[in-house]
Amino acid sequence: GVICANNERSYPCGGDTYMLQLGENQHYWTSKKDPWKKYWINIKGTNAKKLCEMYGLTNLHHFPGLDLKDDFVELIDVVRNEVGDNTGKLVEIINRMMFRMYQYNSHITKSSPAMQIKDYIDLNASKVFSIYDIQKRFNKSESQIIRTFKNEFGITPYAYYLENRIEIAKNLLVGTNLMIKEIAANLNFYDEYY
């Protein structure tokens, strides 16, 4: 297929991700011989715009080889199958997708070990995990991980993880109608009064 957005042309293939922003001059079409099967969502509003700005995705359109199919399928399943307010779960999935686009764009594999640990924590902020999970992921000892992270960011990985989860909770409190109990459950806080 072909995507034209703001006078830029790209040619997405199976397994690619692309993002078109509201208000852009955009056109896209598929080949008649090999039509697309695509998963798509429309996200609009102030929070969507802020997420794009926060992750530096405002002028990006095509992410070749970045396959977000599993995330889209999960998002669609949540919308179809969840009973009650599923806003927190939807926000979590969308945030994860945008973070993966950010990672792709910043070629995270070439960054410092501390930045890789930080990005791993950011990607898993709503999950319960321990320093042991980070050790397994990066094949380093607990003391190496803490020292590497603290030298670059001035804070331990766990303190950063906790601050990150609290920041997400604050954004959900301000930007959604979720109750504190629901936000605590979505972010795996064991005590909603935390």
Side-chain angles (χ1 to χ4, degrees), residues 117-150:
I117 294 167
K118 177 185 176 294
D119 288 332
Y120 177 77
I121 293 169
D122 289 342
L123 190 59
N124 293 285
S126 63
K127 298 176 183 170
V128 174
F129 71 99
S130 68
I131 192 76
Y132 177 72
D133 298 311
I134 298 172
Q135 284 176 254
K136 281 191 335 188
R137 171 71 173 85
F138 295 98
N139 199 26
K140 295 192 182 297
S141 72
E142 179 177 348
S143 60
Q144 286 176 308
I145 288 169
I146 292 171
R147 183 176 54 252
T148 300
F149 195 88
K150 194 168 185 176

Side-chain angles (χ1 to χ4, degrees), residues 27 39 50 61 74 86 104 120 133 166 185:
H27 304 283
Y39 296 90
K50 284 181 184 175
H61 300 100
E74 182 183 3
N86 53 15
Y104 177 94
Y120 177 77
D133 298 311
I166 290 169

Side-chain angles (χ1 to χ4, degrees), residues 175-186:
T176 70
N177 293 328
L178 292 174
M179 296 186 327
I180 293 172
K181 184 194 295 189
E182 293 170 305
I183 293 171
N186 285 333

Side-chain angles (χ1 to χ4, degrees), residues 15 20 87 107 132:
L20 301 174
T87 306
H107 305 289
Y132 177 72

Side-chain angles (χ1 to χ4, degrees), residues 22 28 30 33 39 64 72 80-81 108 122 124 155 169 177:
L22 184 66
Y28 56 94
T30 186
K33 293 178 184 176
Y39 296 90
F72 275 105
R80 287 184 180 156
N81 301 323
I108 205 64
D122 289 342
N124 293 285
I155 190 171
N177 293 328

